[in-house]
Amino acid sequence: ACPVCGSPIDMESTGVLARCSGSLICAAQLKESLRHFASRKAMNIDGLGEKLIDQLVERKIVKDLPDLFSLDIKSLSLMDRMAEKSASKLVQAIENAKKVSFARFIYALGIPEVGETTAEILANHYINIDALTIADQEGLMNLPDVGPVVAQNIVKFFAQEINTEKLAQLKAYGLEVISPEEFKGD
């Protein structure tokens, strides 16, 4: 069982990698998801560091990725070592992150085995996130550098209802995923 949330541990088919099955109910997995999502190569949310993420999760202010976009100066000012000026800068960084390239967004989702290069390939092939969510394994495997494991991980990720709910919530918070032709910010 997971030492953090008590969920069963899933063993990868190779028997080498063990993962908690708790997904985002596991505080440790949520923290790591948030760190990856906010990282420079993903959503690039400057000021959202490891210690602040730990506090936000432990105080149950952030319970899921979309919750990042509901943070305000008042709630952030209550965090340790977070004055109003720092909170204001972070709120602005979160607001700036609402407009993101398609490739960065795909990478930020944290789909297993989908790194920056694969995210770029997917962004250049699919017209938008909606098209990617309905991609099938065979079509994905026709892309360069996308083998059966990666294709299966992508299909599995978008088949999970919790992930499609997260995408809808992110859109509701005003997240705008820009196609490669339109985005000039990378």
Side-chain angles (χ1 to χ4, degrees):
C2 173
V4 175
C5 71
S7 296
I9 298 293
D10 288 338
M11 204 58 149
E12 199 177 72
S13 61
T14 60
V16 176
L17 187 63
R19 286 195 174 118
C20 168
S21 65
S23 190
L24 296 181
I25 66 161
C26 179
Q29 285 195 45
L30 176 57
K31 288 176 184 180
E32 287 306 314
S33 292
L34 291 167
R35 286 182 186 112
H36 175 76
F37 188 79
S39 70
R40 182 162 282 125
K41 292 180 180 183
M43 299 298 286
N44 194 22
I45 302 175
D46 193 35
L48 188 60
E50 187 172 330
K51 290 183 181 184
L52 182 56
I53 288 171
D54 288 346
Q55 286 183 69
L56 291 168
V57 171
E58 287 162 10
R59 295 181 187 188
K60 298 190 183 336
I61 293 169
V62 173
K63 299 176 193 120
D64 203 349
L65 294 177
D67 287 347
L68 286 176
F69 294 99
S70 69
L71 293 173
D72 57 22
I73 294 170
K74 184 179 177 185
S75 62
L76 286 168
S77 295
L78 300 173
M79 299 296 109
D80 298 342
R81 299 182 199 169
M82 181 63 72
E84 191 171 324
K85 186 175 180 180
S86 300
S88 179
K89 284 183 177 183
L90 179 54
V91 167
Q92 186 58 54
I94 291 168
E95 188 62 32
N96 293 344
K98 285 184 178 179
K99 199 168 198 170
V100 63
S101 75
F102 190 21
R104 278 181 177 259
F105 182 66
I106 294 167
Y107 177 68
L109 291 174
I111 302 168
E113 308 293 329
V114 175
E116 294 172 79
T117 303
T118 304
E120 194 73 43
I121 290 166
L122 295 169
N124 288 327
H125 182 77
Y126 291 94
I127 191 165
N128 57 33
I129 193 69
D130 296 327
L132 180 57
T133 62
I134 60 171
D136 64 8
Q137 191 167 345
E138 187 177 314
L140 287 163
M141 287 183 0
N142 287 327
L143 299 176
D145 296 329
V146 178
V149 172
V150 174
Q152 182 180 20
N153 287 341
I154 294 166
V155 170
K156 184 178 175 183
F157 180 87
F158 291 114
Q160 293 175 340
E161 189 175 332
I162 190 165
N163 292 330
T164 55
E165 287 172 8
K166 273 193 268 182
L167 292 174
Q169 290 169 345
L170 289 168
K171 285 180 187 177
Y173 277 117
L175 187 77
E176 189 179 349
V177 180
I178 312 295
S179 70
E181 302 82 46
E182 299 174 284
F183 193 78
K184 304 292 182 230
D186 271 353

